[in-house]
Amino acid sequence: MRIAVIGGGISGLVAAYRLRQRLGDHADIVVVEQAARLGGVLHTGELAGEPLDLGAEAFVGRRPEVIELMGELGLDDQLVRPAGKRPLVWAQGTAHALPGRTLMGIPSDAESLRGLVDEATLAQVAAEPQRPLHWEPGSDTDVHSLVADRFGRQVVERSVDPLLGGVYAGTSASIGVRAALPTLAAALDRGARSLTDAVRDALPPPSTAPVFGGLRDGYGALLRALVEAAGARLVTTLAATRVAAASGGWVVDPLGLVDGVVLATPAPVTARLLHHVAPVAAEAAGGIELSSSALVAMALPRETGLPDNSGILVATGEPLRAKAFTLSSRKWPHLGARDVALVRASFGRFGDESPLSWSDDDLVAAAVTDLTTVTGIEITPIQSVVQRWPGGLPQYAPGHTDRIATIESAVAPLDGLAVAGAYLHGVGVPACIASGTTAAERVATALASRVE
């Protein structure tokens, strides 16, 4: 029995691991990957002689998938938690505290925004519950249109965009409410009388539990454990992989006949692979756009006087090139114990891929200049490393949930084929793990039914 997993990112590696669990040692599980490195947009590099994540660095700890998987793989001792420090927002040329009790930056009250927005905007937010709200249950719109109409543009640019930019490498104008903020959409569908009421209803209850988690040695530790546990063969190919239906299975170039297939590829690649076998799904997947970004990680002298915050987010419209800084040594106690101070600078938003074309020296220089501006201190890197992520993150545009429903319903009749990936039900690592698990279960169940 041979199963092809096309795509060696976290979704594909989890699918391979789950297939191994279900099908046993005798199954021939093959991971087909175009890049020379497994892990996709998860990558642990090295800076100042020690590991550091150069892609995603954290996961939402209130979802169980990552922690449960770490437990299965014997990585319990790798779990680390952040120090609990809050980020700053750089707006109008100065640093502000990030507003509290927001839903992805959308406020639940006006007072939390004081100092970040002007008095007219504060008054608009405070008066919003008295304005009639027109929302059609089941509808969708971009986050910018909804929040700017109800709370004003300053709230969007200074509170919402900085947070959405960190999650999706996009802006509120490129992200839909229903896919990115499902609890808010549900509250609106239930008839919330105002956006303020909807946000308060959608917020999770207060909790002292850590919101985020990470891995002491970076995501590379999880990737290595997954690869070992999956025991899959790796085929690296630069050729355009093709998938076609065959009697009793599928034909996958360059493998030939296989019994099952998991497509754990980015949306545009999935669209191409499904073009002949599921054209409706292919068309829907082809409508999902991607955003690109670049990251500069810097090791600074340990005594560098960085702010005592987890990071600095940059509001839309500021004359800076970086969109955010993670003050890694402040955010993570295990990184704070190192001999250097670590900072990550992020560049690039949806619709602006120009930072990817800059040289490494230009990116580092931009990171140093912008970090100097927002901290007011001299920044002198001891060492730096640049990581580019072309097409790294899917954009959950308005109508995204409908697109995904179309893809999944069109793929459902295809016996032994499943899709997985960050474009489906969440860009975070927990959602990708869930996606790979679901895909593996679908393929394994189809193969079991053939035997019966």
Side-chain angles (χ1 to χ4, degrees):
M1 182 179 295
R2 179 186 295 174
I3 303 94
V5 177
I6 304 177
I10 183 66
S11 301
L13 293 179
V14 168
Y17 167 60
R18 296 300 186 199
L19 285 165
R20 177 65 67 200
Q21 287 182 306
R22 278 289 307 268
L23 302 177
D25 294 338
H26 298 296
D28 182 16
I29 301 170
V30 186
V31 174
V32 181
E33 172 57 48
Q34 188 175 28
R37 176 186 60 80
L38 292 173
V41 297
L42 298 185
H43 176 44
T44 302
E46 185 179 288
L47 186 61
E50 297 193 72
L52 184 71
D53 278 320
L54 302 178
E57 53 143 17
F59 57 85
V60 176
R62 291 174 180 170
R63 286 193 60 154
E65 290 89 351
V66 179
I67 294 175
E68 289 179 355
L69 182 61
M70 290 172 64
E72 291 180 39
L73 298 172
L75 299 176
D76 289 321
D77 62 340
Q78 282 283 335
L79 178 63
V80 291
R81 299 291 192 177
K85 302 180 188 297
R86 298 279 293 168
L88 299 170
V89 178
W90 182 262
Q92 297 295 288
T94 190
H96 306 264
L98 182 73
R101 295 297 290 166
T102 72
L103 188 69
M104 197 62 74
I106 307 175
S108 56
D109 64 82
E111 274 306 304
S112 65
L113 300 168
R114 187 166 296 281
L116 181 61
V117 300
D118 61 24
E119 290 296 326
T121 300
L122 287 176
Q124 180 177 347
V125 175
E128 190 270 339
Q130 280 70 57
R131 291 176 53 203
L133 174 64
H134 303 288
W135 176 269
E136 185 70 28
S139 64
D140 201 5
T141 186
D142 63 273
V143 176
H144 182 282
S145 295
L146 175 65
V147 179
D149 174 63
R150 304 300 298 184
F151 291 153
R153 292 181 59 90
Q154 289 185 14
V155 175
V156 173
E157 294 171 351
R158 302 178 191 180
S159 184
V160 180
D161 275 351
L163 286 166
L164 281 176
V167 176
Y168 295 98
T171 68
S172 56
S174 67
I175 302 298
V177 172
R178 190 161 295 278
L181 301 166
T183 59
L184 180 64
L188 292 167
D189 288 346
R190 288 193 296 268
R193 295 185 177 182
S194 67
L195 181 56
T196 300
D197 288 345
V199 170
R200 290 174 178 172
D201 187 33
L203 281 169
S207 172
T208 58
V211 176
F212 298 106
L215 281 88
R216 186 188 64 242
D217 295 327
Y219 273 114
L222 178 63
L223 296 174
R224 289 189 295 271
L226 271 175
V227 169
E228 182 178 356
R233 289 194 294 126
L234 173 64
V235 172
T236 302
T237 175
L238 296 178
T241 303
R242 292 184 299 167
V243 176
S247 177
W250 300 89
V251 174
V252 174
D253 287 342
L255 302 180
L257 185 65
V258 300
D259 298 286
V261 182
V262 173
L263 303 182
T265 45
V269 179
T270 303
R272 177 176 58 78
L273 295 174
L274 291 175
H275 179 72
H276 294 293
V277 297
V280 173
E283 182 178 3
I288 299 172
E289 297 185 274
L290 306 180
S291 180
S292 300
S293 61
L295 183 137
V296 177
M298 297 180 288
L300 312 177
R302 182 180 172 85
E303 64 273 12
T304 303
L306 297 170
D308 194 25
N309 298 89
S310 61
I312 305 168
L313 308 175
V314 179
T316 299
E318 293 297 305
L320 298 178
R321 289 157 293 183
K323 67 177 182 181
F325 298 92
T326 303
L327 307 180
S328 304
S329 295
R330 301 286 195 237
K331 181 176 181 178
W332 298 100
H334 71 289
L335 297 181
R338 293 186 180 179
D339 294 333
V340 294
L342 299 170
V343 177
R344 301 177 358 143
S346 300
F347 296 83
R349 300 179 191 268
F350 179 68
D352 179 17
E353 298 190 356
S354 57
L356 272 75
S357 67
W358 302 348
S359 69
D360 286 3
D361 288 344
D362 287 344
L363 278 167
V364 172
V368 169
T369 299
D370 287 356
L371 186 57
T372 297
T373 297
V374 299
T375 62
I377 60 177
E378 182 179 355
I379 301 299
T380 308
I382 299 170
Q383 186 181 350
S384 60
V385 61
V386 173
Q387 177 68 49
R388 292 171 175 80
W389 295 113
L393 286 172
Q395 296 300 285
Y396 279 35
H400 185 81
T401 54
D402 291 337
R403 292 186 188 92
I404 300 309
T406 297
I407 293 169
E408 292 180 332
S409 63
V411 168
L414 304 180
D415 184 51
L417 185 145
V419 294
Y423 68 92
L424 290 170
H425 298 290
V427 298
V429 176
C432 290
I433 290 174
S435 172
T437 298
T438 299
E441 184 66 25
R442 171 176 158 77
V443 170
T445 299
L447 297 181
S449 67
R450 292 181 198 171
V451 174
E452 295 172 0

